[in-house]
Amino acid sequence: MAYDLGAVVPLSASVTDGSGAPANSGTMTLTITLPDDTAVTVDPVTPTATGSYAYSYTTTQPGRHMVRWLGTGANPFALADVFDVRDQAPVAIVSLADAKAQLNETDDVDDAELRGFITGASLAVERELGRIVARRAFTERRTANAGRVLLSNVPVLAVTSAVSADGATTWTADDLDVDTDSGLVTAKPGAAPLAGDIDFTTTAGMRIVSDDYQLATLIIVQHLWETQRGRGGAVFGGSQEPEYMSGRGFALPRRALELLDTTLPGVA
């Protein structure tokens, strides 16, 4: 599961001696490497009980964090792990409340895990559509060709900034013509032409998410949720659809693909 930016991550390690009984290391050090490659080091970490070490880390950056516990001296110990921190804008086509309603979940015990499923299903829907649905910011470097740039993430809602890679030229939103649907960007008359490598910061996604896209996302969430909890596969001759489709894998049910209006295997 991923944590929200600013959340507290509980980190722990358990040490045993050669016989398997809880035991303290001579000295325990915890190192957390942040996404920007800086590190937070806690040295030493004091055991909370014999062989038990814990530390609560308050997140400050989105992205992948690497964790390393290292015990030296008596009862040497080493443990490496990772955790992820979400950006402030989650990738979510549907809300947590809607997903819980789809699953008939009434408590909040699985909320953190379920949010990960929502993100995974949302990204799967976007891959199928070839478009961004959940509105969020993107930063990318593109190379101008004949004064034009084709942005990767569409539909484009706004171009926040455009700066040449060498920092010499800056284009404002008023300097640019942006085709929202295709992502084609050109400079307006009177503005500096687009040339070379340019760093763009944009917002992409849909201002209004259609009901069929939301329902498809909910169906994928439900399918993945039930599958990982051990629900059985298709019953031959029964009404439940097969879990596997040639060329599609196991993750995307046919009924979700039909809602997204993507081409199905064997369908012209």
Side-chain angles (χ1 to χ4, degrees), residues 72-201:
T72 57
N75 303 305
F77 175 85
L79 174 67
D81 202 355
V82 298
F83 66 87
D84 293 301
V85 179
R86 297 185 184 93
D87 205 344
Q88 291 180 345
V91 181
I93 294 176
V94 297
S95 69
L96 176 62
D98 286 342
K100 292 175 72 171
Q102 179 78 9
L103 300 174
N104 295 318
E105 293 274 345
T106 57
D107 57 43
D108 58 2
V109 173
D110 297 319
D111 283 5
E113 184 182 8
L114 181 54
R115 291 177 66 196
F117 278 68
I118 292 170
T119 295
S122 298
L123 291 171
V125 166
E126 292 184 342
R127 282 193 297 271
E128 284 296 313
L129 294 172
R131 302 175 67 77
I132 304 301
V133 179
R135 184 171 56 182
R136 57 195 186 275
F138 294 89
T139 299
E140 61 176 326
R141 176 168 291 184
R142 306 295 288 172
T143 301
N145 182 12
R148 303 186 300 174
V149 167
L150 194 62
L151 297 173
S152 302
N153 302 293
V154 294
V156 181
L157 298 177
V159 175
T160 306
S161 68
V163 182
S164 61
D166 60 9
T169 307
T170 298
W171 294 265
T172 67
D174 292 337
D175 293 330
L176 304 173
D177 272 323
V178 182
D179 185 282
T180 298
D181 195 57
S182 70
L184 183 65
V185 182
T186 57
K188 292 180 179 178
L194 300 179
D197 293 335
I198 304 172
D199 294 324
F200 287 89
T201 301

Side-chain angles (χ1 to χ4, degrees), residues 18-78:
S19 66
N24 295 336
S25 289
T27 300
M28 180 66 74
T29 302
L30 170 64
T31 303
I32 305 169
T33 303
L34 279 58
D36 66 357
D37 290 328
T38 60
V40 174
T41 301
V42 184
D43 184 13
V45 182
T46 303
T48 56
T50 301
S52 295
Y53 296 84
Y55 184 77
S56 296
Y57 174 71
T58 302
T59 58
T60 60
Q61 295 181 20
R64 170 61 57 95
H65 292 63
M66 294 179 289
V67 177
R68 180 168 172 79
W69 295 90
L70 182 62
T72 57
N75 303 305
F77 175 85

